[in-house]
């Protein structure tokens, strides 16, 4: 165990968190997981242990419980933190904004205060492309660069913007001290090839790919495609789907980048888009899914969904150049891993 760096992963049993934990172990890190299991189960920890081949330290703790979280810092020597834990349902956030502001922001405050107190200075923060809002309203912003003005259109997105701002303010307050990477994800899809971890939302999923998976398994009758009257190659909306395993590797790349800054005694707070850099229409994803599944699943075209926009594709040059990261997998790979 000695010599390995220890990463505290909040939300470590979640969809992106669990895939990142696997990549961290593969790259020689040790992890401590903190999760309140609000949207996941302790079975995930067991599956992760099977995958990485060793026991993983896990705390069932809510980040809003500062005393509980402090115990984690007191009992362990932590080198860096990756912060995923967050409420993340866009629609729900519009219905219960107070809960979203309280939980997401308090969690970040508690974490950062404890990091300061215990002198842990390296943090990778899970943000979202939702911070850009409707980038199609701004001329020349598709594909979306990190410099695109922010304009979240829902409370969930606003909490991400506030935490990003907090990180910048903290960095400015002591320019040499903190090393912050803000990762803005586009549409993560797919699963680890082992089939042991993956996206398992409780209830009816909102997102396209988990929804198709439930149609395939017979839980839902058919897919509804929200609009085929967009000005795109087949009329359906374009998104940037990035394989979750590629996304997970992006966290290791960001962590390495921050560690290098730390070695050079430099501070930083910077954002990187993590997407595939390629846009796919809903029908293209549908076709890729049916191909991987081996037969066509039923669908119908319905009206546009409220709040949807025509095209959200990432410009990923900054991550490719600075983090030395490049997505290796595509939508077809993601559908295949998911069907498995
Ligand atoms: C949503 C979130 C975003 C989050 C992302 C991935 C919003 C405004 N944004 O993005 O913050 O990062 O999920 O978790 O909600 N579609 C259908 N039928 C369906 C479901 C979706 O046609 O049953 C279409 C949508 O209209 C859209 C595309 O598929 O064009 C992707 O939708 P979805 O998976 O929900 O992701 P986003 O809305 O892009």
């Amino acid at each position: 165990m000695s010599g390995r760096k220890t990463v505290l992963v909040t939300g470590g049993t979640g969809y992106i968190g669990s895939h990142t934990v696997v990549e961290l172990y593969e790259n020689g890190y040790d992890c401590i997981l903190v999760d309140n299991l609000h949207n996941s189960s302790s079975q995930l920890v067991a599956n992760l242990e099977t995958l990485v081949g060793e026991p993983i330290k896990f705390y069932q703790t809510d980040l809003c419980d500062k005393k509980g979280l402090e115990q984690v810092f007191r009992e362990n020597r932590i080198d860096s933190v990756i912060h995923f834990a967050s409420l993340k349902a866009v629609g729900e956030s519009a219905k219960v904004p107070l809960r979203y502001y309280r939980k997401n922001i308090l969690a970040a405050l508690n974490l950062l205060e404890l990091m300061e107190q215990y002198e842990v200075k390296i943090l990778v923060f899970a943000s979202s492309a939702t911070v850009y809002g409707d980038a199609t309203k701004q001329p020349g912003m598709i594909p979306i660069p990190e410099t695109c003005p922010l304009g979240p259109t829902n409370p969930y997105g606003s909490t991400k913007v506030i935490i990003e701002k907090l990180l910048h303010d903290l960095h400015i307050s002591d320019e040499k001290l903190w090393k912050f990477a803000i990762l803005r994800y586009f549409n993560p899809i797919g699963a680890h090839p082992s089939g042991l971890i993956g996206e398992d939302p409780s209830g009816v999923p909102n997102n396209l790919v988990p929804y198709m998976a439930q149609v395939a398994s017979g839980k839902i009758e058919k897919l509804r495609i929200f609009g085929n009257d967009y000005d795109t190659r087949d009329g359906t909306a374009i998104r940037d789907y990035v394989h979750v395993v590629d996304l997970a590797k992006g966290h290791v790349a960001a962590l390495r980048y921050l560690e290098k800054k730390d070695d050079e005694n430099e501070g930083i707070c910077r954002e990187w888009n993590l997407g595939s850099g390629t846009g796919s229409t809903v029908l293209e994803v549908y076709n890729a899914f049916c191909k991987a599944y081996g037969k066509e699943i039923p669908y119908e075209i319905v009206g546009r969904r409220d709040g949807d926009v025509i095209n959200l594709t990432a410009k990923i040059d900054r991550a490719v150049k600075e983090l030395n990261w490049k997505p290796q997998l595509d939508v077809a790979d993601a559908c295949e891993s998911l069907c498995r």
Side-chain angles (χ1 to χ4, degrees), residues 90 128 130 187 206-208 211 223-226 237 239 241 282 305 308:
V90 171
S128 164
T130 197
N187 292 51
N206 296 310
N207 295 123
L208 177 62
Y211 199 94
L223 169 69
R224 291 174 309 146
I225 293 182
F226 300 132
R239 294 289 179 275
Y241 299 91
V282 179
R305 183 173 66 176
D308 267 354

mmCIF file with all atom_site columns, all heavy atoms in Angstrom, residues 90 128 130 187 206-208 211 223-226 237 239 241 282 305 308, ligand 1:
data_model
loop_
_atom_site.group_PDB
_atom_site.id
_atom_site.type_symbol
_atom_site.label_atom_id
_atom_site.label_alt_id
_atom_site.label_comp_id
_atom_site.label_asym_id
_atom_site.label_entity_id
_atom_site.label_seq_id
_atom_site.pdbx_PDB_ins_code
_atom_site.Cartn_x
_atom_site.Cartn_y
_atom_site.Cartn_z
_atom_site.occupancy
_atom_site.B_iso_or_equiv
_atom_site.pdbx_formal_charge
_atom_site.auth_seq_id
_atom_site.auth_comp_id
_atom_site.auth_asym_id
_atom_site.auth_atom_id
_atom_site.pdbx_PDB_model_num
ATOM   1   N N   . VAL A 1 90  ? -32.082 17.432 -13.498 1.00 0.00 ? 90  VAL A N   1
ATOM   2   C CA  . VAL A 1 90  ? -32.428 18.773 -13.984 1.00 0.00 ? 90  VAL A CA  1
ATOM   3   C C   . VAL A 1 90  ? -33.888 19.122 -13.686 1.00 0.00 ? 90  VAL A C   1
ATOM   4   O O   . VAL A 1 90  ? -34.191 20.177 -13.120 1.00 0.00 ? 90  VAL A O   1
ATOM   5   C CB  . VAL A 1 90  ? -32.155 18.848 -15.499 1.00 0.00 ? 90  VAL A CB  1
ATOM   6   C CG1 . VAL A 1 90  ? -32.692 20.132 -16.089 1.00 0.00 ? 90  VAL A CG1 1
ATOM   7   C CG2 . VAL A 1 90  ? -30.660 18.723 -15.770 1.00 0.00 ? 90  VAL A CG2 1
ATOM   8   N N   . SER A 1 128 ? -20.641 20.358 -15.174 1.00 0.00 ? 128 SER A N   1
ATOM   9   C CA  . SER A 1 128 ? -21.498 19.839 -16.249 1.00 0.00 ? 128 SER A CA  1
ATOM   10  C C   . SER A 1 128 ? -21.600 20.861 -17.360 1.00 0.00 ? 128 SER A C   1
ATOM   11  O O   . SER A 1 128 ? -21.543 22.067 -17.122 1.00 0.00 ? 128 SER A O   1
ATOM   12  C CB  . SER A 1 128 ? -22.888 19.565 -15.680 1.00 0.00 ? 128 SER A CB  1
ATOM   13  O OG  . SER A 1 128 ? -23.825 19.410 -16.717 1.00 0.00 ? 128 SER A OG  1
ATOM   14  N N   . THR A 1 130 ? -24.130 21.641 -18.596 1.00 0.00 ? 130 THR A N   1
ATOM   15  C CA  . THR A 1 130 ? -25.372 22.366 -18.342 1.00 0.00 ? 130 THR A CA  1
ATOM   16  C C   . THR A 1 130 ? -25.085 23.811 -17.894 1.00 0.00 ? 130 THR A C   1
ATOM   17  O O   . THR A 1 130 ? -25.954 24.675 -17.999 1.00 0.00 ? 130 THR A O   1
ATOM   18  C CB  . THR A 1 130 ? -26.251 21.596 -17.324 1.00 0.00 ? 130 THR A CB  1
ATOM   19  O OG1 . THR A 1 130 ? -27.576 22.085 -17.398 1.00 0.00 ? 130 THR A OG1 1
ATOM   20  C CG2 . THR A 1 130 ? -25.741 21.720 -15.925 1.00 0.00 ? 130 THR A CG2 1
ATOM   21  N N   . ASN A 1 187 ? -22.639 14.511 -22.547 1.00 0.00 ? 187 ASN A N   1
ATOM   22  C CA  . ASN A 1 187 ? -23.607 13.458 -22.223 1.00 0.00 ? 187 ASN A CA  1
ATOM   23  C C   . ASN A 1 187 ? -22.913 12.109 -22.029 1.00 0.00 ? 187 ASN A C   1
ATOM   24  O O   . ASN A 1 187 ? -22.645 11.405 -23.012 1.00 0.00 ? 187 ASN A O   1
ATOM   25  C CB  . ASN A 1 187 ? -24.641 13.336 -23.344 1.00 0.00 ? 187 ASN A CB  1
ATOM   26  C CG  . ASN A 1 187 ? -25.545 14.551 -23.427 1.00 0.00 ? 187 ASN A CG  1
ATOM   27  O OD1 . ASN A 1 187 ? -25.069 15.680 -23.469 1.00 0.00 ? 187 ASN A OD1 1
ATOM   28  N ND2 . ASN A 1 187 ? -26.839 14.336 -23.445 1.00 0.00 ? 187 ASN A ND2 1
ATOM   29  N N   . ASN A 1 206 ? -34.697 9.697  -17.367 1.00 0.00 ? 206 ASN A N   1
ATOM   30  C CA  . ASN A 1 206 ? -34.979 10.843 -18.235 1.00 0.00 ? 206 ASN A CA  1
ATOM   31  C C   . ASN A 1 206 ? -34.071 10.842 -19.452 1.00 0.00 ? 206 ASN A C   1
ATOM   32  O O   . ASN A 1 206 ? -34.427 11.354 -20.495 1.00 0.00 ? 206 ASN A O   1
ATOM   33  C CB  . ASN A 1 206 ? -34.717 12.158 -17.485 1.00 0.00 ? 206 ASN A CB  1
ATOM   34  C CG  . ASN A 1 206 ? -35.668 12.311 -16.315 1.00 0.00 ? 206 ASN A CG  1
ATOM   35  O OD1 . ASN A 1 206 ? -36.867 12.165 -16.475 1.00 0.00 ? 206 ASN A OD1 1
ATOM   36  N ND2 . ASN A 1 206 ? -35.133 12.583 -15.134 1.00 0.00 ? 206 ASN A ND2 1
ATOM   37  N N   . ASN A 1 207 ? -32.894 10.289 -19.277 1.00 0.00 ? 207 ASN A N   1
ATOM   38  C CA  . ASN A 1 207 ? -31.884 10.415 -20.336 1.00 0.00 ? 207 ASN A CA  1
ATOM   39  C C   . ASN A 1 207 ? -32.074 9.358  -21.414 1.00 0.00 ? 207 ASN A C   1
ATOM   40  O O   . ASN A 1 207 ? -32.574 8.264  -21.164 1.00 0.00 ? 207 ASN A O   1
ATOM   41  C CB  . ASN A 1 207 ? -30.473 10.336 -19.738 1.00 0.00 ? 207 ASN A CB  1
ATOM   42  C CG  . ASN A 1 207 ? -30.189 11.499 -18.818 1.00 0.00 ? 207 ASN A CG  1
ATOM   43  O OD1 . ASN A 1 207 ? -29.862 11.306 -17.663 1.00 0.00 ? 207 ASN A OD1 1
ATOM   44  N ND2 . ASN A 1 207 ? -30.339 12.700 -19.313 1.00 0.00 ? 207 ASN A ND2 1
ATOM   45  N N   . LEU A 1 208 ? -31.663 9.724  -22.604 1.00 0.00 ? 208 LEU A N   1
ATOM   46  C CA  . LEU A 1 208 ? -31.940 8.925  -23.799 1.00 0.00 ? 208 LEU A CA  1
ATOM   47  C C   . LEU A 1 208 ? -31.469 7.466  -23.698 1.00 0.00 ? 208 LEU A C   1
ATOM   48  O O   . LEU A 1 208 ? -32.253 6.537  -23.910 1.00 0.00 ? 208 LEU A O   1
ATOM   49  C CB  . LEU A 1 208 ? -31.275 9.605  -25.014 1.00 0.00 ? 208 LEU A CB  1
ATOM   50  C CG  . LEU A 1 208 ? -31.405 8.879  -26.343 1.00 0.00 ? 208 LEU A CG  1
ATOM   51  C CD1 . LEU A 1 208 ? -32.870 8.754  -26.751 1.00 0.00 ? 208 LEU A CD1 1
ATOM   52  C CD2 . LEU A 1 208 ? -30.622 9.616  -27.430 1.00 0.00 ? 208 LEU A CD2 1
ATOM   53  N N   . TYR A 1 211 ? -33.018 5.222  -21.063 1.00 0.00 ? 211 TYR A N   1
ATOM   54  C CA  . TYR A 1 211 ? -34.425 5.037  -21.449 1.00 0.00 ? 211 TYR A CA  1
ATOM   55  C C   . TYR A 1 211 ? -34.548 3.936  -22.500 1.00 0.00 ? 211 TYR A C   1
ATOM   56  O O   . TYR A 1 211 ? -35.380 3.038  -22.390 1.00 0.00 ? 211 TYR A O   1
ATOM   57  C CB  . TYR A 1 211 ? -34.989 6.362  -21.985 1.00 0.00 ? 211 TYR A CB  1
ATOM   58  C CG  . TYR A 1 211 ? -36.494 6.426  -21.977 1.00 0.00 ? 211 TYR A CG  1
ATOM   59  C CD1 . TYR A 1 211 ? -37.186 6.998  -20.908 1.00 0.00 ? 211 TYR A CD1 1
ATOM   60  C CD2 . TYR A 1 211 ? -37.233 5.910  -23.041 1.00 0.00 ? 211 TYR A CD2 1
ATOM   61  C CE1 . TYR A 1 211 ? -38.567 7.049  -20.899 1.00 0.00 ? 211 TYR A CE1 1
ATOM   62  C CE2 . TYR A 1 211 ? -38.617 5.954  -23.038 1.00 0.00 ? 211 TYR A CE2 1
ATOM   63  C CZ  . TYR A 1 211 ? -39.278 6.533  -21.968 1.00 0.00 ? 211 TYR A CZ  1
ATOM   64  O OH  . TYR A 1 211 ? -40.653 6.579  -21.961 1.00 0.00 ? 211 TYR A OH  1
ATOM   65  N N   . LEU A 1 223 ? -39.774 3.995  -27.055 1.00 0.00 ? 223 LEU A N   1
ATOM   66  C CA  . LEU A 1 223 ? -39.026 5.248  -26.939 1.00 0.00 ? 223 LEU A CA  1
ATOM   67  C C   . LEU A 1 223 ? -39.837 6.355  -27.588 1.00 0.00 ? 223 LEU A C   1
ATOM   68  O O   . LEU A 1 223 ? -40.451 6.147  -28.642 1.00 0.00 ? 223 LEU A O   1
ATOM   69  C CB  . LEU A 1 223 ? -37.678 5.094  -27.675 1.00 0.00 ? 223 LEU A CB  1
ATOM   70  C CG  . LEU A 1 223 ? -36.874 6.387  -27.890 1.00 0.00 ? 223 LEU A CG  1
ATOM   71  C CD1 . LEU A 1 223 ? -36.348 6.919  -26.565 1.00 0.00 ? 223 LEU A CD1 1
ATOM   72  C CD2 . LEU A 1 223 ? -35.717 6.142  -28.858 1.00 0.00 ? 223 LEU A CD2 1
ATOM   73  N N   . ARG A 1 224 ? -39.860 7.508  -26.959 1.00 0.00 ? 224 ARG A N   1
ATOM   74  C CA  . ARG A 1 224 ? -40.453 8.677  -27.610 1.00 0.00 ? 224 ARG A CA  1
ATOM   75  C C   . ARG A 1 224 ? -39.311 9.594  -28.024 1.00 0.00 ? 224 ARG A C   1
ATOM   76  O O   . ARG A 1 224 ? -38.509 10.012 -27.182 1.00 0.00 ? 224 ARG A O   1
ATOM   77  C CB  . ARG A 1 224 ? -41.403 9.389  -26.662 1.00 0.00 ? 224 ARG A CB  1
ATOM   78  C CG  . ARG A 1 224 ? -42.678 8.558  -26.374 1.00 0.00 ? 224 ARG A CG  1
ATOM   79  C CD  . ARG A 1 224 ? -43.562 9.194  -25.328 1.00 0.00 ? 224 ARG A CD  1
ATOM   80  N NE  . ARG A 1 224 ? -42.771 9.525  -24.143 1.00 0.00 ? 224 ARG A NE  1
ATOM   81  C CZ  . ARG A 1 224 ? -42.983 10.573 -23.363 1.00 0.00 ? 224 ARG A CZ  1
ATOM   82  N NH1 . ARG A 1 224 ? -43.949 11.419 -23.632 1.00 0.00 ? 224 ARG A NH1 1
ATOM   83  N NH2 . ARG A 1 224 ? -42.228 10.786 -22.313 1.00 0.00 ? 224 ARG A NH2 1
ATOM   84  N N   . ILE A 1 225 ? -39.226 9.879  -29.288 1.00 0.00 ? 225 ILE A N   1
ATOM   85  C CA  . ILE A 1 225 ? -38.176 10.787 -29.784 1.00 0.00 ? 225 ILE A CA  1
ATOM   86  C C   . ILE A 1 225 ? -38.757 12.196 -29.812 1.00 0.00 ? 225 ILE A C   1
ATOM   87  O O   . ILE A 1 225 ? -39.785 12.451 -30.464 1.00 0.00 ? 225 ILE A O   1
ATOM   88  C CB  . ILE A 1 225 ? -37.668 10.342 -31.171 1.00 0.00 ? 225 ILE A CB  1
ATOM   89  C CG1 . ILE A 1 225 ? -36.923 9.008  -31.009 1.00 0.00 ? 225 ILE A CG1 1
ATOM   90  C CG2 . ILE A 1 225 ? -36.767 11.413 -31.787 1.00 0.00 ? 225 ILE A CG2 1
ATOM   91  C CD1 . ILE A 1 225 ? -36.312 8.452  -32.281 1.00 0.00 ? 225 ILE A CD1 1
ATOM   92  N N   . PHE A 1 226 ? -38.095 13.064 -29.064 1.00 0.00 ? 226 PHE A N   1
ATOM   93  C CA  . PHE A 1 226 ? -38.634 14.413 -28.872 1.00 0.00 ? 226 PHE A CA  1
ATOM   94  C C   . PHE A 1 226 ? -38.294 15.339 -30.047 1.00 0.00 ? 226 PHE A C   1
ATOM   95  O O   . PHE A 1 226 ? -37.336 16.088 -29.981 1.00 0.00 ? 226 PHE A O   1
ATOM   96  C CB  . PHE A 1 226 ? -38.114 15.013 -27.564 1.00 0.00 ? 226 PHE A CB  1
ATOM   97  C CG  . PHE A 1 226 ? -38.491 14.229 -26.332 1.00 0.00 ? 226 PHE A CG  1
ATOM   98  C CD1 . PHE A 1 226 ? -37.527 13.906 -25.375 1.00 0.00 ? 226 PHE A CD1 1
ATOM   99  C CD2 . PHE A 1 226 ? -39.800 13.816 -26.117 1.00 0.00 ? 226 PHE A CD2 1
ATOM   100 C CE1 . PHE A 1 226 ? -37.868 13.188 -24.241 1.00 0.00 ? 226 PHE A CE1 1
ATOM   101 C CE2 . PHE A 1 226 ? -40.153 13.087 -24.983 1.00 0.00 ? 226 PHE A CE2 1
ATOM   102 C CZ  . PHE A 1 226 ? -39.176 12.774 -24.038 1.00 0.00 ? 226 PHE A CZ  1
ATOM   103 N N   . ALA A 1 237 ? -32.382 16.167 -32.625 1.00 0.00 ? 237 ALA A N   1
ATOM   104 C CA  . ALA A 1 237 ? -31.408 17.059 -31.982 1.00 0.00 ? 237 ALA A CA  1
ATOM   105 C C   . ALA A 1 237 ? -30.032 16.402 -31.800 1.00 0.00 ? 237 ALA A C   1
ATOM   106 O O   . ALA A 1 237 ? -29.932 15.173 -31.683 1.00 0.00 ? 237 ALA A O   1
ATOM   107 C CB  . ALA A 1 237 ? -31.946 17.500 -30.626 1.00 0.00 ? 237 ALA A CB  1
ATOM   108 N N   . ARG A 1 239 ? -26.425 15.907 -29.765 1.00 0.00 ? 239 ARG A N   1
ATOM   109 C CA  . ARG A 1 239 ? -25.728 15.999 -28.480 1.00 0.00 ? 239 ARG A CA  1
ATOM   110 C C   . ARG A 1 239 ? -24.346 15.374 -28.631 1.00 0.00 ? 239 ARG A C   1
ATOM   111 O O   . ARG A 1 239 ? -24.096 14.600 -29.547 1.00 0.00 ? 239 ARG A O   1
ATOM   112 C CB  . ARG A 1 239 ? -26.491 15.234 -27.377 1.00 0.00 ? 239 ARG A CB  1
ATOM   113 C CG  . ARG A 1 239 ? -27.832 15.815 -27.019 1.00 0.00 ? 239 ARG A CG  1
ATOM   114 C CD  . ARG A 1 239 ? -27.707 17.130 -26.274 1.00 0.00 ? 239 ARG A CD  1
ATOM   115 N NE  . ARG A 1 239 ? -29.010 17.704 -25.949 1.00 0.00 ? 239 ARG A NE  1
ATOM   116 C CZ  . ARG A 1 239 ? -29.721 18.462 -26.792 1.00 0.00 ? 239 ARG A CZ  1
ATOM   117 N NH1 . ARG A 1 239 ? -29.265 18.733 -27.994 1.00 0.00 ? 239 ARG A NH1 1
ATOM   118 N NH2 . ARG A 1 239 ? -30.875 18.952 -26.418 1.00 0.00 ? 239 ARG A NH2 1
ATOM   119 N N   . TYR A 1 241 ? -22.181 12.744 -27.056 1.00 0.00 ? 241 TYR A N   1
ATOM   120 C CA  . TYR A 1 241 ? -22.194 11.585 -26.157 1.00 0.00 ? 241 TYR A CA  1
ATOM   121 C C   . TYR A 1 241 ? -20.772 11.107 -25.945 1.00 0.00 ? 241 TYR A C   1
ATOM   122 O O   . TYR A 1 241 ? -20.062 10.803 -26.908 1.00 0.00 ? 241 TYR A O   1
ATOM   123 C CB  . TYR A 1 241 ? -23.062 10.472 -26.744 1.00 0.00 ? 241 TYR A CB  1
ATOM   124 C CG  . TYR A 1 241 ? -24.500 10.909 -26.915 1.00 0.00 ? 241 TYR A CG  1
ATOM   125 C CD1 . TYR A 1 241 ? -24.929 11.486 -28.107 1.00 0.00 ? 241 TYR A CD1 1
ATOM   126 C CD2 . TYR A 1 241 ? -25.425 10.792 -25.872 1.00 0.00 ? 241 TYR A CD2 1
ATOM   127 C CE1 . TYR A 1 241 ? -26.248 11.922 -28.277 1.00 0.00 ? 241 TYR A CE1 1
ATOM   128 C CE2 . TYR A 1 241 ? -26.737 11.221 -26.031 1.00 0.00 ? 241 TYR A CE2 1
ATOM   129 C CZ  . TYR A 1 241 ? -27.134 11.783 -27.225 1.00 0.00 ? 241 TYR A CZ  1
ATOM   130 O OH  . TYR A 1 241 ? -28.431 12.217 -27.374 1.00 0.00 ? 241 TYR A OH  1
ATOM   131 N N   . VAL A 1 282 ? -30.337 12.097 -32.283 1.00 0.00 ? 282 VAL A N   1
ATOM   132 C CA  . VAL A 1 282 ? -31.076 11.085 -31.518 1.00 0.00 ? 282 VAL A CA  1
ATOM   133 C C   . VAL A 1 282 ? -31.249 9.821  -32.370 1.00 0.00 ? 282 VAL A C   1
ATOM   134 O O   . VAL A 1 282 ? -31.054 8.701  -31.880 1.00 0.00 ? 282 VAL A O   1
ATOM   135 C CB  . VAL A 1 282 ? -32.463 11.621 -31.076 1.00 0.00 ? 282 VAL A CB  1
ATOM   136 C CG1 . VAL A 1 282 ? -33.222 10.542 -30.299 1.00 0.00 ? 282 VAL A CG1 1
ATOM   137 C CG2 . VAL A 1 282 ? -32.315 12.872 -30.221 1.00 0.00 ? 282 VAL A CG2 1
ATOM   138 N N   . ARG A 1 305 ? -39.245 18.380 -26.613 1.00 0.00 ? 305 ARG A N   1
ATOM   139 C CA  . ARG A 1 305 ? -39.289 18.468 -25.149 1.00 0.00 ? 305 ARG A CA  1
ATOM   140 C C   . ARG A 1 305 ? -38.957 19.901 -24.733 1.00 0.00 ? 305 ARG A C   1
ATOM   141 O O   . ARG A 1 305 ? -38.029 20.497 -25.276 1.00 0.00 ? 305 ARG A O   1
ATOM   142 C CB  . ARG A 1 305 ? -38.272 17.475 -24.563 1.00 0.00 ? 305 ARG A CB  1
ATOM   143 C CG  . ARG A 1 305 ? -38.257 17.407 -23.059 1.00 0.00 ? 305 ARG A CG  1
ATOM   144 C CD  . ARG A 1 305 ? -37.350 16.287 -22.560 1.00 0.00 ? 305 ARG A CD  1
ATOM   145 N NE  . ARG A 1 305 ? -35.941 16.515 -22.859 1.00 0.00 ? 305 ARG A NE  1
ATOM   146 C CZ  . ARG A 1 305 ? -34.950 15.711 -22.454 1.00 0.00 ? 305 ARG A CZ  1
ATOM   147 N NH1 . ARG A 1 305 ? -35.230 14.620 -21.748 1.00 0.00 ? 305 ARG A NH1 1
ATOM   148 N NH2 . ARG A 1 305 ? -33.710 15.976 -22.758 1.00 0.00 ? 305 ARG A NH2 1
ATOM   149 N N   . ASP A 1 308 ? -35.316 21.760 -24.546 1.00 0.00 ? 308 ASP A N   1
ATOM   150 C CA  . ASP A 1 308 ? -34.303 21.131 -25.404 1.00 0.00 ? 308 ASP A CA  1
ATOM   151 C C   . ASP A 1 308 ? -33.796 22.123 -26.446 1.00 0.00 ? 308 ASP A C   1
ATOM   152 O O   . ASP A 1 308 ? -34.539 22.990 -26.898 1.00 0.00 ? 308 ASP A O   1
ATOM   153 C CB  . ASP A 1 308 ? -34.900 19.919 -26.130 1.00 0.00 ? 308 ASP A CB  1
ATOM   154 C CG  . ASP A 1 308 ? -34.669 18.626 -25.372 1.00 0.00 ? 308 ASP A CG  1
ATOM   155 O OD1 . ASP A 1 308 ? -33.946 18.658 -24.354 1.00 0.00 ? 308 ASP A OD1 1
ATOM   156 O OD2 . ASP A 1 308 ? -35.219 17.588 -25.793 1.00 0.00 ? 308 ASP A OD2 1
HETATM 157 C C1  . LIG B 2 .   ? -29.383 16.181 -19.872 1.00 0.00 ? 1   LIG B C1  1
HETATM 158 C C2  . LIG B 2 .   ? -29.149 17.310 -18.919 1.00 0.00 ? 1   LIG B C2  1
HETATM 159 C C3  . LIG B 2 .   ? -27.673 17.534 -18.707 1.00 0.00 ? 1   LIG B C3  1
HETATM 160 C C4  . LIG B 2 .   ? -26.965 16.257 -18.327 1.00 0.00 ? 1   LIG B C4  1
HETATM 161 C C5  . LIG B 2 .   ? -27.254 15.220 -19.401 1.00 0.00 ? 1   LIG B C5  1
HETATM 162 C C6  . LIG B 2 .   ? -26.594 13.895 -19.174 1.00 0.00 ? 1   LIG B C6  1
HETATM 163 C C7  . LIG B 2 .   ? -31.031 18.786 -19.427 1.00 0.00 ? 1   LIG B C7  1
HETATM 164 C C8  . LIG B 2 .   ? -31.442 20.143 -19.896 1.00 0.00 ? 1   LIG B C8  1
HETATM 165 N N1  . LIG B 2 .   ? -29.737 18.517 -19.428 1.00 0.00 ? 1   LIG B N1  1
HETATM 166 O O1  . LIG B 2 .   ? -28.923 16.570 -21.157 1.00 0.00 ? 1   LIG B O1  1
HETATM 167 O O2  . LIG B 2 .   ? -27.500 18.491 -17.696 1.00 0.00 ? 1   LIG B O2  1
HETATM 168 O O3  . LIG B 2 .   ? -25.581 16.484 -18.233 1.00 0.00 ? 1   LIG B O3  1
HETATM 169 O O4  . LIG B 2 .   ? -28.662 15.040 -19.464 1.00 0.00 ? 1   LIG B O4  1
HETATM 170 O O5  . LIG B 2 .   ? -27.027 13.281 -18.014 1.00 0.00 ? 1   LIG B O5  1
HETATM 171 O O6  . LIG B 2 .   ? -31.837 17.984 -19.035 1.00 0.00 ? 1   LIG B O6  1
HETATM 172 N N2  . LIG B 2 .   ? -34.396 12.302 -25.947 1.00 0.00 ? 1   LIG B N2  1
HETATM 173 C C9  . LIG B 2 .   ? -35.461 11.696 -26.610 1.00 0.00 ? 1   LIG B C9  1
HETATM 174 N N3  . LIG B 2 .   ? -36.235 10.819 -25.905 1.00 0.00 ? 1   LIG B N3  1
HETATM 175 C C10 . LIG B 2 .   ? -36.015 10.511 -24.591 1.00 0.00 ? 1   LIG B C10 1
HETATM 176 C C11 . LIG B 2 .   ? -34.913 11.136 -23.925 1.00 0.00 ? 1   LIG B C11 1
HETATM 177 C C12 . LIG B 2 .   ? -34.151 12.032 -24.636 1.00 0.00 ? 1   LIG B C12 1
HETATM 178 O O7  . LIG B 2 .   ? -35.704 11.956 -27.777 1.00 0.00 ? 1   LIG B O7  1
HETATM 179 O O8  . LIG B 2 .   ? -36.762 9.739  -24.009 1.00 0.00 ? 1   LIG B O8  1
HETATM 180 C C13 . LIG B 2 .   ? -33.535 13.239 -26.692 1.00 0.00 ? 1   LIG B C13 1
HETATM 181 C C14 . LIG B 2 .   ? -33.539 14.626 -26.101 1.00 0.00 ? 1   LIG B C14 1
HETATM 182 O O9  . LIG B 2 .   ? -34.549 15.403 -26.667 1.00 0.00 ? 1   LIG B O9  1
HETATM 183 C C15 . LIG B 2 .   ? -32.123 15.113 -26.468 1.00 0.00 ? 1   LIG B C15 1
HETATM 184 C C16 . LIG B 2 .   ? -31.287 13.833 -26.462 1.00 0.00 ? 1   LIG B C16 1
HETATM 185 O O10 . LIG B 2 .   ? -32.212 12.764 -26.579 1.00 0.00 ? 1   LIG B O10 1
HETATM 186 O O11 . LIG B 2 .   ? -32.115 15.647 -27.752 1.00 0.00 ? 1   LIG B O11 1
HETATM 187 C C17 . LIG B 2 .   ? -30.485 13.660 -25.185 1.00 0.00 ? 1   LIG B C17 1
HETATM 188 O O12 . LIG B 2 .   ? -31.352 13.831 -24.083 1.00 0.00 ? 1   LIG B O12 1
HETATM 189 P P1  . LIG B 2 .   ? -30.886 13.494 -22.590 1.00 0.00 ? 1   LIG B P1  1
HETATM 190 O O13 . LIG B 2 .   ? -30.237 12.158 -22.541 1.00 0.00 ? 1   LIG B O13 1
HETATM 191 O O14 . LIG B 2 .   ? -32.061 13.731 -21.701 1.00 0.00 ? 1   LIG B O14 1
HETATM 192 O O15 . LIG B 2 .   ? -29.710 14.531 -22.302 1.00 0.00 ? 1   LIG B O15 1
HETATM 193 P P2  . LIG B 2 .   ? -29.717 16.136 -22.427 1.00 0.00 ? 1   LIG B P2  1
HETATM 194 O O16 . LIG B 2 .   ? -31.086 16.671 -22.380 1.00 0.00 ? 1   LIG B O16 1
HETATM 195 O O17 . LIG B 2 .   ? -28.863 16.501 -23.586 1.00 0.00 ? 1   LIG B O17 1
#
